[in-house]
Amino acid sequence: MNVPAAVSSLFRRRPDEWLPLFWLAAACVLGLVWSLVHASGLVAGVPLPWPAGRLMFSFYGALVYGWALPVLFSFMAENGCRRLKPAEWLWHLCVVLGMATIMTGDGSGLLLMPFDWWVCPVFAILAAGKACAAWFRPFPWPVRLLFSSSAGCTAAALLALGYTQALSMNGLLDASSLEGSLSCGLMFAALGAAAFRLNMAKGRGFGILAVWMAAVLAAAPVVGGLGGLRGFPVPWALAEAGAVWSWCAAVPAVLMAVYLWMKSGPETGTWLKAAVSLLALLAVWDVFAGAWPELMQFSLSAWHEAELWILLGAGALMMAGRKGPVRFPAAWWLLGAGVCGVLLAYAVGVVAAVDVQAFPEARRAELMSGWVGMAACVHAVAMALCLAGSLCLWRPADAGNPEMETPVPQRLFFIAAVAAVLLLATAAAVLLHAPAPDSLEVRRPVQDAAGARIYAAEGCALCHTQIIRRSMSGKDWQTAIDRGTDPDFPYRVSEPEDMDAEFNGEGAPQAGVAAVGPDLSNAAEYAAGRLEYEDAVSGGTRRAAQVREWLALHLYNPREPQFKKPWTVCPSMPGMFEERPVEGNAPSLDALPVRMEQGRELVPSGRGERLLNYLASLRRVEPSRKRDRIHSFPGLSHIHPDYAAHPPTVDMERLKRARAAAVMEKGRGVYLSKCAICHGNDGMGDKVTYPPLAGSEWLKEKPDAEIVKIILQGLTGPITVNGKEWNSTMLPPGVTNSRDLANLLTFLRRQFGGVEKAAYTPEQMDAIRREL
């Protein structure tokens, strides 16, 4: 074989004729590795390797932008349009650079646009050019309309996403619109391609369905995919429009599939018609799944849903672009088996979502990890079959259709019309998806934005949600309050409507993809209740000096025995830490308490510091104010009208108990980290130098100002405690924050002084400090 000649012939051809198959094989390899990583982590009982999230993002990047969209563009262009060759090379170059941004940890954190944000406008412009070029191809006008609409709606969704990614809820809404544009765009293009291949792309009925589908695609950048977002704090009227849009997308797909089967007969194009029929059934399933948002949102199936759409849609387009699988019929059998495997993995996710609902909250994460392992094994087999099929696919046959010349005025008119539609759709998406001006309230520090980007790029949102979902029944609202006393989800008392403000300025919102791990809406408070761990150096039990140390230990190895979660699928992140020599006689305050060589210490790297800053900022105990102000137009309210008229009843007694438990636990944490070294964990002192606090009359009878003064300034000289004389020196423990001081005093009075109704606020502590 003449290798140089073969390589030269490849580069003489248009890249969209052969590079998509390369990207499909690469995507299958990445998907196989990603699945094996999750499966082996559960089987071997070791922490998952660090780049598990980046593998999933790379898989979707190669699948969507390396394979699926170029396959669509290749069919649209046919073989006669050589002038698009530079644009195609530019597209694939951007895919390579985008994959590099994922691997370096600079990705967006969104499954369907995982590259860095600069890729969005480049892909949008190229897709818009493809939409214009498709209209001048030698296809019947309904097919051209479907192809132009498919490429155009994807371009508009990418433009909107690229523009609004830095605003709060916009990233979430426009990511969903991109999903709707990609899924339905590929489905409708595959239906049009199938009709063209089966010589059925003519007639009034087909033209009516094509116009219907084009109208649905034109609305996709604005409301596409929002039917599945019911239950999120989004404008309710827009979510209802999304549900209607989903129905409008499913009905013509079903009618078109029925039309193909009835007009062509069962013997012609069976593979192709089966593929588009599965797409139509998937669209119908999506409509019904949107009716159970609390069950389907954040389920494990979200990992594979978009993949299923892409494989079916692009696979049908690839089959339609060939005269028939003559040379390697096994390729289609292998690809078909692989798609069925992905469908089975998706079904495992659906069953998992139903199964875990029957178990208590404390056990759901452990059960979900088992389902993750099962889905990973199924997906690994599916990817192996798809990889074998992609390697067996033969080259696309040269259609040899001459390029039909179109008069220049008509070309210019259509290009201007496409540009106008894209601008209008993008503007509508930006304006309608933007939150109300009064909701742009930044609650967390601005410097958290860098940590939020790292959190997204590493794939943390793939397994962890950060949202308390609104529910018509008030279930989630009351559950959030009940969790105030649940040891697995402490202090999670919040309001559902405050999410858009929480994520303002953080780029992609961290609402999450699947609820595989615990919700991190209140990660810092969650960690505060679990500061005790087994010290690997001393072998004893100690408490972390601060929340950041606990979080750092969890990032370093989440399967350490002290976390008591040997089944977790959370990957370890050793790359977030660096080893360095100890400066001075003792390790630095940031050093992790892990075994190291003599004179060496392990500390967070710069990237790890920013991620820890972000995680430590996740404190949503209570919102500063109730977010019940709505837009000027009631139809655009974030709150469902029935929900606003009849808000769920909250058990105030349980709310008070949850808040009291939160204050006591935080006060306990301050005591154990600042006071217990002298007075003991049980408050009994050491019976030699330090007096007991338990049962002390000082905590029962002394005024608040005197106790606060002792905490702030220390105490020296003889005192009497419980009838015994003590003469020692107490240094100030270093409690200077007013909130920590209030929590500590509340804990001391209640726990050791027996004053059950004691409760203090930071404002009271500020007033006492001014008097001292």
Side-chain angles (χ1 to χ4, degrees):
M1 177 181 178
N2 191 343
V3 176
V7 173
S8 176
S9 65
L10 281 180
F11 281 90
R12 283 197 301 268
R13 297 166 59 193
R14 285 179 34 244
D16 278 358
E17 294 178 7
W18 59 279
L19 268 179
L21 284 179
F22 164 79
W23 285 115
L24 174 60
C28 292
V29 172
L30 290 168
L32 178 62
V33 174
W34 152 48
S35 301
L36 291 177
V37 161
H38 281 83
S40 63
L42 287 171
V43 174
V46 296
L48 272 66
W50 180 19
R54 299 186 193 182
L55 281 172
M56 189 184 294
F57 291 138
S58 300
F59 165 72
Y60 268 101
L63 191 70
V64 176
Y65 297 95
W67 178 58
L69 288 178
V71 164
L72 170 63
F73 299 152
S74 178
F75 192 98
M76 289 162 47
E78 288 282 310
N79 287 329
C81 192
R82 302 287 177 178
R83 287 169 292 184
L84 296 177
K85 189 173 180 180
E88 293 174 358
W89 278 114
L90 178 59
W91 178 283
H92 289 283
L93 176 62
C94 288
V95 174
V96 173
L97 296 177
M99 297 288 283
T101 64
I102 295 175
M103 292 305 178
T104 57
D106 294 322
S108 68
L110 299 178
L111 277 181
L112 289 178
M113 211 304 289
F115 308 137
D116 201 357
W117 294 109
W118 64 265
V119 175
C120 280
V122 178
F123 279 162
I125 293 172
L126 292 175
K130 295 284 188 177
C132 294
W135 186 255
F136 306 109
R137 302 307 308 146
F139 298 125
W141 72 264
V143 177
R144 286 183 284 155
L145 180 63
L146 288 177
F147 286 163
S148 296
S149 302
S150 300
C153 75
T154 301
L158 285 170
L159 277 176
L161 181 60
Y163 178 78
T164 60
Q165 55 89 14
L167 298 177
S168 65
M169 283 297 293
N170 292 357
L172 176 63
L173 294 179
D174 289 318
S176 178
S177 294
L178 177 61
E179 181 177 358
S181 299
L182 284 172
S183 58
C184 286
L186 286 172
M187 176 175 66
F188 291 157
L191 288 167
F196 176 74
R197 183 58 62 200
L198 298 173
N199 297 318
M200 299 170 56
K202 298 178 181 179
R204 180 178 300 177
F206 181 79
I208 293 174
L209 287 177
V211 172
W212 183 350
M213 290 186 284
V216 170
L217 287 176
V222 181
V223 295
L226 287 181
L229 285 182
R230 283 176 291 174
F232 280 92
V234 298
W236 188 260
L238 194 59
E240 289 294 291
V244 174
W245 179 88
S246 298
W247 276 107
C248 292
V251 171
V254 173
L255 293 177
M256 182 68 81
V258 172
Y259 171 79
L260 293 178
W261 280 104
M262 292 180 62
K263 292 293 184 179
S264 65
E267 293 82 15
T268 307
T270 305
W271 278 92
L272 187 55
K273 291 184 293 186
V276 295
S277 299
L278 285 176
L279 278 170
L281 291 176
L282 187 57
V284 174
W285 164 254
D286 245 24
V287 171
F288 287 103
W292 304 306
E294 292 188 2
L295 178 64
M296 298 307 298
Q297 285 171 0
F298 306 125
S299 69
L300 180 60
S301 59
W303 285 8
H304 306 291
E305 180 180 8
E307 172 191 1
L308 192 57
W309 276 106
I310 300 302
L311 284 172
L312 281 172
L317 279 166
M318 185 174 284
M319 283 189 283
R322 290 157 173 75
K323 296 184 182 302
V326 179
R327 291 182 60 185
F328 292 102
W332 301 111
W333 285 103
L334 291 170
L335 278 176
V339 172
C340 290
V342 174
L343 178 61
L344 183 57
Y346 174 81
V348 169
V350 175
V351 174
V354 177
D355 176 67
V356 298
Q357 299 295 321
F359 291 87
E361 288 280 353
R363 290 205 56 204
R364 290 183 184 179
E366 182 177 358
L367 293 170
M368 185 58 72
S369 67
W371 284 110
V372 169
M374 183 184 299
C377 292
V378 174
H379 191 257
V381 175
M383 288 297 98
L385 292 170
C386 287
L387 176 60
S390 65
L391 295 177
C392 291
L393 280 174
W394 50 287
R395 295 180 301 174
D398 292 333
N401 293 333
E403 184 177 359
M404 296 178 61
E405 291 294 333
T406 305
V408 174
Q410 292 186 22
R411 287 175 178 265
L412 295 177
F413 174 79
F414 184 77
I415 291 172
V418 169
V421 171
L422 287 178
L423 289 175
L424 288 175
T426 304
V430 170
L431 293 175
L432 288 179
H433 292 180
D438 62 357
S439 70
L440 297 180
E441 173 193 348
V442 180
R443 296 212 183 154
R444 298 209 284 261
V446 177
Q447 59 264 29
D448 292 337
R453 286 192 292 270
I454 296 171
Y455 177 95
E458 296 297 341
C460 301
L462 293 173
C463 299
H464 295 284
T465 58
Q466 279 189 43
I467 179 174
I468 299 174
R469 286 164 288 171
R470 182 177 65 241
S471 167
M472 282 294 296
S473 63
K475 176 183 176 183
D476 284 347
W477 183 304
Q478 187 63 62
T479 300
I481 295 173
D482 293 340
R483 287 175 180 173
T485 54
D486 186 333
D488 286 322
F489 297 89
Y491 329 127
R492 191 174 159 196
V493 181
S494 185
E495 293 187 11
E497 284 78 26
D498 64 348
M499 189 181 116
D500 53 351
E502 287 290 336
F503 296 107
N504 180 44
E506 291 185 9
Q510 313 301 335
V513 176
V516 174
D519 186 278
L520 299 185
S521 300
N522 214 8
E525 297 296 329
Y526 177 91
R530 287 161 173 72
L531 290 181
E532 190 172 281
Y533 65 93
E534 296 174 10
D535 189 354
V537 178
S538 66
T541 301
R542 59 164 286 189
R543 293 184 64 81
Q546 52 185 336
V547 170
R548 288 171 57 87
E549 185 177 84
W550 190 94
L551 292 170
L553 287 167
H554 196 278
L555 288 178
Y556 185 67
N557 186 359
R559 288 201 179 191
E560 280 294 322
Q562 58 260 33
F563 298 118
K564 300 178 181 178
K565 292 184 178 180
W567 36 261
T568 181
V569 296
C570 184
S572 60
M573 296 188 177
M576 291 291 178
F577 302 88
E578 59 186 12
E579 185 180 339
R580 70 183 185 189
V582 175
E583 297 179 1
N585 298 325
S588 63
L589 295 177
D590 294 333
L592 269 66
V594 296
R595 294 187 182 277
M596 298 292 296
E597 296 180 7
Q598 187 69 26
R600 309 288 292 178
E601 64 180 7
L602 189 70
V603 297
S605 63
R607 191 177 177 84
E609 283 283 351
R610 289 190 290 270
L611 179 58
L612 288 172
N613 288 341
Y614 174 71
L615 293 174
S617 73
L618 298 178
R619 296 174 181 270
R620 295 174 63 186
V621 181
E622 297 179 60
S624 59
R625 62 184 175 88
K626 186 175 181 180
R627 307 193 53 75
D628 55 4
R629 289 195 295 166
I630 62 175
H631 297 261
S632 302
F633 302 99
L636 292 181
S637 171
H638 287 284
I639 308 175
H640 189 280
D642 295 339
Y643 181 88
H646 306 286
T649 302
V650 177
D651 189 333
M652 297 308 296
E653 288 301 318
R654 285 199 284 182
L655 175 58
K656 291 178 181 179
R657 290 198 298 271
R659 290 174 175 170
V663 170
M664 282 293 287
E665 189 60 30
K666 287 188 289 185
R668 185 192 304 277
V670 176
Y671 173 82
L672 291 172
S673 62
K674 301 294 185 180
C675 312
I677 190 172
C678 298
H679 295 283
N681 291 357
D682 55 0
M684 297 304 295
D686 64 353
K687 301 181 181 180
V688 177
T689 305
Y690 302 106
L693 299 180
S696 170
E697 66 273 20
W698 286 61
L699 293 175
K700 294 178 182 179
E701 303 168 0
K702 294 291 183 181
D704 298 333
E706 188 169 347
I707 301 298
V708 172
K709 181 179 180 180
I710 293 174
I711 295 174
L712 293 175
Q713 302 177 7
L715 182 65
T716 301
I719 59 173
T720 301
V721 179
N722 292 345
K724 181 179 178 180
E725 292 289 337
W726 301 82
N727 189 356
S728 60
T729 298
M730 170 187 162
L731 297 175
V735 182
T736 57
N737 181 274
S738 295
R739 183 171 294 278
D740 289 342
L741 190 59
N743 293 334
L744 175 61
L745 186 56
T746 300
F747 172 77
L748 293 175
R749 291 285 201 190
R750 290 184 184 179
Q751 183 73 16
F752 299 135
V755 184
E756 294 295 333
K757 295 184 178 181
Y760 301 93
T761 65
E763 291 74 20
Q764 288 175 301
M765 297 299 103
D766 291 335
I768 293 175
R769 296 170 78 165
R770 285 193 294 267
E771 296 175 359
L772 295 178

